Amino acid sequence: EHLQTQHLSISPSARVQYSFPELFFYKPNLWWPNGMGKQSLYNVSITVDVKGHGESDSWSHPFGFRKIESHIDNATGGRLFKVNGQPIFIRGGNWILSDGLLRLSKKRYKADIKFHADMNFNMIRCWGGGLAERPEFYDYCDIYGLLVWQEFWITGDCDGRGIPVSNPDGPLDHQLFLLCARDTVKLLRNHPSLALWVGGNEQTPPHDINMALKYDLRLHPDFAKLDENGQSIEDLS
Amino acid sequence: MAEIGKTKLDSGWVAARSTDIQLTGTQLTTTHPPAGPTSPWMEAVVPGTVLATLVKNKLVPDPFYGLENESILDIADAGREYYTFWFFRTFHCKLSGNQHVDLNFRAINYYAEVYLNGHKMVLPEGMFRRHSLDVTDVLHPDKQNLLAVLVHPPNHPGTIPPEGGQGGDHEIGKDIAAQYVEGWDWMAPIRDRNTGIWDEVSISVTGPVKIIDPHLVASFFDNYKRVYLHSTIELENRSSWVADCALNIQVSTELEEGICLV
């Protein structure tokens, strides 16, 4: 049941979205953060063959079955996480980038991220003044079990504070910011280590950007009931 | 016939400061390509930044040793042109009749003009976005393809106050780019503001139909006993006829080295 073929006709010059019928798994090996269990990864491969022309394109990606939930705790003001239904005590490190000249090799990522795992960390927070990290960074976080808290590119000091006071309305081109955000989400969304998107560092982005991010990143209605602000009020799974 | 899939273009690049080159992009990719890493051209770090290329060629010291960063000219003093650089390389790709090829930039900082065999394309602004160009029609099947990329720094590189400070004068916050590059309490300013082709460059060959941005999501029921994998993809038919497609999805796990369970 983990191998499926579907047939589809696509009009000339058309771009379409297609959802496979869901694949059923009974008790798959779950992906766990560092210290809670194994980082089980399956390989998902998708190919498209065109009649009369053979294989046209292929794609594959490691995939980890895991469910990550978090909420702000009223008592402490801190964010509490659960992975696969189990509470997890977060031991995190802050991260800007691996190299100031952006020589971001796989070897370097592997060493840096394994080091975090060896330090018994289970989360890395990618600070909003740095990078949206690269797929190779996430590959090693998937392998070593580091959850990733990924911030978008807003910091208080460049967007509202500082001397002279910086522009509180964030970047000049809000639509460009959202275009980059949407593309970044598509680049990284299949990594099991990706735990949380955050609007920026120590503050929320400008209102229109913040609302658009919250709307775009809301849970799909098949997965949650939402209130009028797009906030999850009941988890249906 | 080219093999379906991706080929990284991560070596063989040369670079030169734009003000040292009097040729146009069209000339560089037709009649006057650089002969190699001879002045003003130099071996380039791609992916990487302009500053990484200058460090590699020992034209500036490594900014992360001692106070060497102080001896590197800051973009605020040098001007944006000083860190505007050409990058050049060649590649070979021979397609069959119904194949297509994309030239992919997974990220650049901050915008660029791309020339391939004399044809100009533009990579718009934004440090955190992918660019994918269908270059099928401008490819040379039987000879080297000449690729030149003119990379421009962020629009608002800002200036660094004498006392330093968080994000310098904050100008960089006006762009969609990393903000640490104007310096922070933990970091000296990055002189080129990380200008460059800073992430993977590749060409990808497909048939008439291309897979775009698959999305995988799992849902869990009955205490993680019942699990469903939901998969959504986009497909683009680049041909002028209806494409009858067979879509396959397969999930496997390696039980031990060389043995997979499907």
Side-chain angles (χ1 to χ4, degrees):
Chain A
E1 62 242 26
H2 303 151
L3 174 61
Q4 194 182 92
T5 302
Q6 300 291 324
H7 295 277
L8 183 70
S9 290
I10 308 175
S11 303
S13 307
R15 183 163 167 163
V16 300
Q17 192 177 69
Y18 177 78
S19 292
F20 285 93
E22 63 260 29
L23 295 173
F24 172 69
F25 291 77
Y26 179 72
K27 286 189 178 176
N29 293 322
L30 300 177
W31 183 93
W32 292 96
N34 184 33
M36 287 183 81
K38 285 186 177 177
Q39 288 76 52
S40 300
L41 292 170
Y42 291 74
N43 186 57
V44 177
S45 67
I46 295 173
T47 59
V48 53
D49 291 354
V50 177
K51 193 176 177 181
H53 298 275
E55 184 175 294
S56 183
D57 201 3
S58 66
W59 176 90
S60 68
H61 203 282
F63 183 75
F65 289 97
R66 94 287 185 262
K67 181 177 179 182
I68 299 173
E69 301 160 275
S70 74
H71 72 278
I72 304 288
D73 179 47
N74 288 334
T76 64
R79 183 173 286 273
L80 301 184
F81 287 83
K82 280 184 179 178
V83 179
N84 302 330
Q86 303 299 313
I88 174 173
F89 183 79
I90 296 295
R91 301 176 301 274
N94 191 34
W95 176 276
I96 316 298
L97 33 73
S98 189
D99 170 49
L101 303 184
L102 306 187
R103 297 166 293 193
L104 307 175
S105 68
K106 278 188 178 183
K107 190 176 176 184
R108 189 163 193 149
Y109 274 135
K110 182 181 180 183
D112 288 356
I113 291 161
K114 184 174 185 302
F115 187 43
H116 281 71
D118 289 345
M119 286 192 291
N120 207 25
F121 282 4
N122 53 28
M123 179 175 277
I124 294 179
R125 173 254 189 159
C126 296
W127 176 62
L131 299 182
E133 266 301 349
R134 302 295 90 194
E136 291 77 13
F137 171 94
Y138 279 86
D139 285 342
Y140 287 110
C141 288
D142 295 345
I143 290 167
Y144 291 113
L146 273 302
L147 298 165
V148 184
W149 163 310
Q150 177 70 61
E151 295 179 0
F152 292 110
W153 320 285
I154 298 281
T155 70
D157 293 289
C158 281
D159 304 283
R161 296 199 293 263
I163 303 170
V165 174
S166 53
N167 176 21
D169 198 31
L172 295 182
D173 189 339
H174 290 196
Q175 290 310 309
L176 177 59
F177 184 99
L178 290 170
L179 188 152
C180 289
R182 288 175 180 126
D183 199 58
T184 299
V185 170
K186 288 180 178 178
L187 178 68
L188 303 174
R189 63 189 175 185
N190 294 316
H191 288 276
S193 55
L194 177 60
L196 186 71
W197 292 105
V198 175
N201 166 53
E202 298 176 6
Q203 68 170 40
T204 52
H207 182 70
D208 58 323
I209 290 179
N210 201 38
M211 293 307 289
L213 291 175
K214 287 172 89 167
Y215 181 80
D216 284 358
L217 290 166
R218 73 198 185 281
L219 280 174
H220 188 281
D222 284 357
F223 291 81
K225 272 188 187 161
L226 308 176
D227 66 16
E228 64 274 14
N229 295 319
Q231 297 296 309
S232 172
I233 52 176
E234 186 184 349
D235 188 338
L236 296 180
S237 67
Chain B
M1 176 174 166
E3 197 173 327
I4 299 288
K6 182 173 86 171
T7 304
K8 289 183 193 175
L9 305 182
D10 57 1
S11 61
W13 289 87
V14 292
R17 181 169 282 120
S18 64
T19 50
D20 292 338
I21 301 297
Q22 309 310 321
L23 300 165
T24 65
T26 303
Q27 289 171 319
L28 285 172
T29 57
T30 52
T31 51
H32 294 80
T38 50
S39 184
W41 294 91
M42 63 192 90
E43 288 182 28
V45 181
V46 176
T49 63
V50 166
L51 201 53
T53 288
L54 295 174
V55 171
K56 177 187 171 73
N57 289 278
K58 302 191 186 319
L59 294 172
V60 296
D62 189 319
F64 299 118
Y65 277 89
L67 296 177
E68 297 284 29
N69 195 49
E70 294 298 311
S71 65
I72 304 175
L73 205 49
D74 192 86
I75 192 170
D77 304 313
R80 291 176 68 251
E81 301 76 22
Y82 187 79
Y83 286 112
T84 300
F85 265 64
W86 280 108
F87 293 84
F88 179 90
R89 71 159 279 170
T90 62
F91 65 90
H92 192 264
C93 182
K94 184 169 184 172
L95 303 175
S96 72
N98 287 298
Q99 288 186 322
H100 292 254
V101 64
D102 285 335
L103 173 61
N104 308 301
F105 295 84
R106 212 165 59 181
I108 55 155
N109 190 28
Y110 187 61
Y111 61 93
E113 293 141 47
V114 177
Y115 294 84
L116 181 60
N117 301 331
H119 297 264
K120 181 183 176 182
M121 293 153 278
V122 172
L123 306 183
E125 295 177 0
M127 184 176 178
F128 302 109
R129 64 190 291 185
R130 296 169 295 170
H131 306 272
S132 195
L133 307 168
D134 185 345
V135 295
T136 308
D137 294 338
V138 297
L139 220 56
H140 290 160
D142 295 317
K143 57 180 183 177
Q144 290 290 339
N145 293 283
L146 308 181
L147 170 63
V149 187
L150 180 63
V151 182
H152 297 268
N155 289 330
H156 301 89
T159 54
I160 313 303
E163 68 276 16
Q166 306 278 72
D169 65 357
H170 318 303
E171 282 291 295
I172 194 73
K174 292 179 178 175
D175 293 334
I176 315 299
Q179 298 181 354
Y180 84 97
V181 292
E182 279 203 69
W184 224 266
D185 50 10
W186 52 272
M187 172 56 101
I190 306 291
R191 299 309 188 188
D192 69 345
R193 307 291 187 265
N194 280 163
T195 299
I197 306 173
W198 69 277
D199 198 8
E200 180 185 284
V201 187
S202 66
I203 52 170
S204 52
V205 175
T206 68
V209 175
K210 178 186 174 188
I211 297 172
I212 301 168
D213 290 337
H215 188 194
L216 308 173
V217 179
S219 58
F220 302 89
F221 300 88
D222 302 338
N223 199 24
Y224 299 88
K225 288 197 187 87
R226 274 195 307 127
V227 178
Y228 295 91
L229 176 63
H230 309 259
S231 317
T232 297
I233 57 177
E234 286 184 60
L235 295 160
E236 185 180 8
N237 179 9
R238 295 170 156 190
S239 75
S240 55
W241 31 267
V242 174
D244 291 322
C245 302
L247 309 175
N248 292 284
I249 182 167
Q250 176 178 314
V251 184
S252 59
T253 183
E254 194 167 18
L255 296 177
E256 54 187 280
E257 202 171 333
I259 301 174
C260 284
L261 175 70
V262 175

